[in-house]
Amino acid sequence: MKKIGLLGCGAIGTQIALAIDTGKIPAILTHVYDASKDSSIELVSKLNTKPEIVENSHLLSSHPVNIVVEAASQDAVKDIALSVLQNKRDLMIMSVGALLDESIYDILSDACKDFNKTIYLPSGAIAGLDGIKSIKNELESLSITTTKHPRSLKGAKFFENSDINLDAILSPTTIFEGTAKEAVSLFPANINVAALLSLSGIGSEKTGVKIVADPNTDKNTHHIEAAGKFGKMTFTIENFPDTTNPKTSRLAILSAIETLRKYCSNEIQIGT
Ligand SMILES: NC(=O)c1ccc[n+]([C@@H]2O[C@H](COP(=O)([O-])OP(=O)(O)OC[C@H]3O[C@@H](n4cnc5c(N)ncnc54)[C@H](O)[C@@H]3O)[C@@H](O)[C@H]2O)c1
């Protein structure tokens, strides 16, 4: 069975660990790390098969794991991704926004080739990336409109230089329109889906992002439009938030579990 090291014991990390512990993912969780020791301890207490809590994130890949799973933060990706590959381990990344920094993307892409290892980016909170990847050479336009309750957008850097008062919004209101590249620094906590879309398609400078604050919604909705020589694709994903972390959609967690299950299984693989 494959051995897994887990970085980040929050909403996503906990559900991944439980999926391994209950046999949904055929693997062994051998090591975990979280910047909050309490979170690591709490996670381990929920598991029948106890992984070792390591003292820092770099120690995860110094143990003989097959893959390190990141479910922590963009900073964590910047800190450990290269050393995981150098230690000849595969890597699954949830904090995908980190890869919109082109220098990081290029370094990690080269390292995958140099060390013959793979980085997995689950589809996360969206669907349709299989189609977008297939037609990427024929894409002429690609955009995503994300609609969330104003409280899910609070704290974003964008509001430091904006007159918009989220508490005063009474009907659906477009608060940002630009490229995925611009959105990454202004809405870092909401950018993972736009990052995934642009990396699958035509890049972050050509991928349009619109963010709508809707005080009447209880869902995180993503509407994707792609057009080109192949024809046209539209996808709308209406996500319920996870109960433990409302910023994270349930689909993002299930997508991470499915990616890891596929990595750990020998089977017929469906989909592009
Ligand atoms: N790809 C997607 O579609 C998608 C969807 C949702 C969330 N995410 C991203 O996945 C990551 C995890 O999400 P979550 O909902 O589990 O978050 P969470 O806040 O519930 O848990 C994150 C955990 O990681 C720990 N952590 C943060 N930075 C760390 C670091 N540098 N080193 C070690 N531990 C660190 C925190 O202490 C926390 O326990 C976030 O970056 C989030 O933006 C991606």
Side-chain angles (χ1 to χ4, degrees):
M1 282 221 273
K2 295 251 168 64
K3 291 182 181 155
I4 297 175
L6 177 64
L7 172 55
C9 301
I12 297 177
T14 298
Q15 293 302 319
I16 287 175
L18 288 170
I20 297 168
D21 202 48
T22 54
K24 278 189 199 127
I25 297 172
I28 306 170
L29 181 62
T30 57
H31 299 85
V32 298
Y33 177 75
D34 194 292
S36 151
K37 188 98 187 231
D38 287 348
S39 298
S40 312
I41 292 169
E42 195 187 331
L43 169 59
V44 171
S45 75
K46 292 177 182 161
L47 304 175
N48 291 316
T49 307
K50 311 277 184 206
E52 183 187 328
I53 300 173
V54 295
E55 288 304 317
N56 70 65
S57 53
H58 290 275
L59 290 176
L60 288 172
S61 64
S62 64
H63 288 283
V65 296
N66 297 93
I67 188 166
V68 171
V69 173
E70 178 280 325
S73 63
Q74 292 189 25
D75 284 344
V77 174
K78 291 173 191 166
D79 188 29
I80 58 103
L82 182 58
S83 68
V84 169
L85 299 169
Q86 286 170 332
N87 282 340
K88 305 258 174 86
R89 316 290 177 215
D90 291 317
L91 176 62
M92 187 172 110
I93 292 178
M94 290 309 291
S95 308
V96 188
L99 301 186
L100 284 200
D101 179 329
E102 273 150 33
S103 58
I104 292 179
Y105 184 91
D106 290 346
I107 288 168
L108 295 182
S109 181
D110 288 347
C112 285
K113 293 185 192 92
D114 292 347
F115 300 104
N116 203 17
K117 288 289 131 194
T118 303
I119 294 180
Y120 297 87
L121 309 178
S123 302
I126 52 174
L129 294 184
D130 53 346
I132 302 286
K133 280 190 296 182
S134 303
I135 47 87
K136 75 171 167 195
N137 293 330
E138 299 193 0
L139 261 177
E140 279 155 15
S141 68
L142 181 61
S143 66
I144 179 165
T145 300
T146 293
T147 304
K148 292 186 170 181
H149 193 280
R151 70 172 163 262
S152 303
L153 299 165
K154 276 200 172 159
K157 199 175 156 201
F158 170 82
F159 297 103
E160 289 171 13
N161 295 310
S162 157
D163 295 334
I164 296 173
N165 176 2
L166 283 171
D167 294 325
I169 292 178
L170 301 175
S171 58
T173 305
T174 299
I175 56 164
F176 171 83
E177 216 164 347
T179 63
K181 177 124 188 149
E182 289 160 350
V184 71
S185 58
L186 298 172
F187 297 91
N190 293 284
I191 196 63
N192 288 302
V193 287
L196 279 163
L197 188 65
S198 59
L199 290 171
S200 308
I202 48 178
S204 62
E205 284 174 53
K206 292 187 186 154
T207 304
V209 175
K210 189 160 136 180
I211 298 180
V212 178
D214 180 357
N216 305 314
T217 189
D218 59 352
K219 300 187 196 88
N220 295 335
T221 301
H222 304 291
H223 179 74
I224 295 166
E225 291 193 7
K229 287 187 206 110
F230 67 95
K232 191 177 171 190
M233 286 182 196
T234 56
F235 311 98
T236 301
I237 305 103
E238 295 182 26
N239 283 317
F240 283 120
D242 179 60
T243 46
T244 55
N245 181 354
K247 281 192 185 149
T248 288
S249 299
R250 179 87 188 119
L251 175 60
I253 294 173
L254 297 176
S255 154
I257 290 172
E258 175 58 13
T259 302
L260 210 47
R261 193 198 62 74
K262 211 161 93 173
Y263 174 82
C264 296
S265 309
N266 296 314
E267 59 174 12
I268 295 175
Q269 300 217 345
I270 304 168
T272 304

